[in-house]
Amino acid sequence: MDRPTSGASPGEHDGRELAAALRGLTAHRDRTDAQRTTLAGAAATDLVADLVAAVTNQPDMIVEDALCLRLGTVLAEAEQSPLNDRPGPHDLAEALVTAAAAAVAAAVDKTAPWRVLTAVAGILPYPNSEAADDAIARLRNTAGGHASPTSPGPVLTGPVLWTRDRYGSRFAVTAPITTAEAPMRWYLWDIDACGHQAFTVDSGFHGTSAAALARWQAGVGPIAAAGTELTAVDDPSLLAQLLPAELGFMRVGGENEAQLAEYHRSRRLAETVQQAMSSPGTDSDDGLDAVAAVAEFTTWLRARDTDRQELPADLDELATELADSWSINDIGPVFATCSPHRVALSVLHMRDFYRDDFADQLLALLPDWTRWLAARNATPPDLADRCLPYANGEPYPQIHADRTGPDYLARVIE
């Protein structure tokens, strides 16, 4: 006897299974989000309580700095937890606003809680800065004589300065910033544009622009930073591509404790800089793009190689893939830059992205690619020669990779 069937076709059965799987994934994500929200709320409540107790007689600048340091510790500890129990910076930012506002509402003496809430509003980027400002306005309307004075938040108080290393792919950006009841200090962003986006690998306040430059030069190294000087930013569009932005759950991750301490403030001050630079200045052109690079490189290589048989028959196809792999961050003005770090990251990318045999063909062209870029950029020989070992496959000692990929946030000394 035939077994009864449900009457569903194989396609309908598969569709129901897929829908059930998607519902399961959604439920799991919702549970994970709820767990992270709960953990972030508890951590933020403890952090705010500790800070309220500690800041009674401290100036506002110390309150903000202490808040950032405590955030770095809390987030670094969270990074050691299982993934589902790991609230990220965006989770903690939302929880901080709630916890700081609740502390103000619950306190009899609101002086210290107000200062903590003001500090929270001063370091968080949009949209959490807006939520903190809304909480301040709401609480001020109900606080009567206990209301906190209005804080203007961080203010840019002079020209933004920058420089780049001799390879052209590592940037220092520093800006004079004034915060509530604090003297002007210079905030530094140390930005590495060798990876698949521009990564801020070091940031923080310094007393002078010279001190900020010295900090950056120490992190870049004496060879790559030799002769660098700060000048006024003359390309706001490139600056906008370099400065960090809040990416929420899309962040790459892997920050160390010092980077996590400045995670929010570096983004808030980047917003402040971009909003204040009302004069557009003169944007540079987008530089070399992948299409032009292919044409230039293949022409250079064919003219340089007197024995055409040594060149692959599909050189144009290979050069196109090589150029696309070289330009994974899509920051036009840094396309033509070439450093040991960038070469080594490109090798890892191609090994990971392409089949082994095709990656081998691409990487066989990489030494000539670096020589062409060096000739095009008039790169000093001492710099160009430092790229070749990694183009030939030598492991780069300062790149540490795991199953998630290389450490893009490493402060590499070249």
Side-chain angles (χ1 to χ4, degrees):
M1 179 181 296
D2 293 335
R3 290 184 298 173
T5 66
S6 64
S9 68
E12 291 172 327
H13 180 71
D14 291 344
R16 285 199 295 268
E17 285 190 342
L18 176 60
L22 291 174
R23 286 195 297 272
L25 287 173
T26 300
H28 174 72
R29 184 191 62 196
D30 291 343
R31 289 192 300 271
T32 298
D33 289 347
Q35 173 73 353
R36 289 173 177 166
T37 298
T38 299
L39 292 169
T45 298
D46 290 344
L47 188 158
V48 167
D50 290 345
L51 198 55
V52 166
V55 304
T56 303
N57 298 311
Q58 299 294 327
D60 287 347
M61 182 178 75
I62 301 300
V63 178
E64 184 177 295
D65 290 348
L67 171 60
C68 290
L69 287 173
R70 283 168 165 76
L71 274 170
T73 299
V74 170
L75 288 168
E77 290 174 351
E79 288 289 298
Q80 306 307 311
S81 302
L83 184 61
N84 290 347
D85 298 333
R86 188 185 303 169
H90 58 289
D91 300 307
L92 198 58
E94 293 178 357
L96 265 178
V97 175
T98 301
V104 172
V108 175
D109 181 356
K110 300 184 183 294
T111 304
W114 265 121
R115 296 174 66 207
V116 171
L117 178 56
T118 301
V120 168
I123 70 158
L124 293 183
Y126 181 85
N128 292 299
S129 57
E130 186 175 87
D133 289 340
D134 289 345
I136 288 173
R138 182 179 68 254
L139 288 164
R140 186 177 289 115
N141 289 336
T142 61
H146 299 287
S148 169
T150 301
S151 171
V155 178
L156 179 67
T157 49
V160 182
L161 308 178
W162 68 353
T163 190
R164 61 169 72 184
D165 73 343
R166 295 172 70 200
Y167 293 106
S169 53
R170 182 84 168 266
F171 294 79
V173 178
T174 187
I177 302 289
T178 300
T179 54
E181 298 183 15
M184 185 189 77
R185 297 184 291 173
W186 287 82
Y187 198 83
L188 168 71
W189 294 265
D190 178 349
I191 302 166
D192 192 326
C194 288
H196 65 81
Q197 66 185 64
F199 291 96
T200 298
V201 298
D202 183 53
S203 59
F205 272 117
H206 299 273
T208 64
S209 60
L213 177 61
R215 168 72 181 185
W216 177 80
Q217 289 171 329
V220 171
I223 294 175
T228 51
E229 297 179 351
L230 293 169
T231 60
V233 169
D234 57 358
D235 189 349
S237 68
L238 174 57
L239 179 66
Q241 294 178 79
L242 295 173
L243 287 173
E246 175 55 57
L247 299 176
F249 68 90
M250 294 295 292
R251 77 183 240 271
V252 173
E255 298 90 350
N256 59 35
E257 185 169 338
Q259 290 166 338
L260 288 168
E262 293 295 330
Y263 180 92
H264 297 101
R265 181 158 63 178
S266 68
R267 286 155 178 77
R268 172 61 184 275
L269 297 181
E271 293 174 354
T272 299
V273 165
Q274 293 192 63
Q275 291 165 2
M277 293 186 69
S278 56
S279 176
T282 301
D283 292 353
S284 65
D285 61 36
D286 286 336
L288 186 69
D289 63 17
V291 174
V294 171
E296 287 190 29
F297 172 61
T298 54
T299 298
W300 175 87
L301 189 57
R302 288 185 172 111
R304 182 174 179 271
D305 200 318
T306 56
D307 185 354
R308 298 297 179 89
Q309 298 302 313
E310 293 185 9
L311 296 178
D314 53 351
L315 175 62
D316 291 331
E317 176 188 348
L318 292 171
T320 297
E321 291 293 336
L322 179 58
D324 287 342
S325 294
W326 189 255
S327 183
I328 54 176
N329 64 25
D330 289 327
I331 303 175
V334 302
F335 180 95
T337 63
C338 184
S339 72
H341 185 208
R342 186 171 186 184
V343 170
L345 286 176
S346 295
V347 171
L348 290 177
H349 166 69
M350 285 184 270
R351 285 291 184 203
D352 182 62
F353 189 77
Y354 297 103
R355 295 192 312 269
D356 289 347
D357 56 344
F358 192 70
D360 288 340
Q361 295 178 68
L362 293 180
L363 294 173
L365 287 175
L366 191 57
D368 280 324
W369 177 267
T370 65
R371 293 186 184 98
W372 164 67
L373 286 173
R376 188 183 191 277
N377 299 335
T379 303
D382 64 312
L383 296 185
D385 290 347
R386 292 169 64 86
C387 297
L388 284 174
Y390 310 109
N392 284 305
E394 183 176 316
Y396 192 73
Q398 296 184 71
I399 291 181
H400 304 286
D402 57 23
R403 62 181 181 83
T404 63
D407 180 8
Y408 289 108
L409 290 161
R411 194 165 170 238
V412 170
I413 296 177
E414 290 187 325

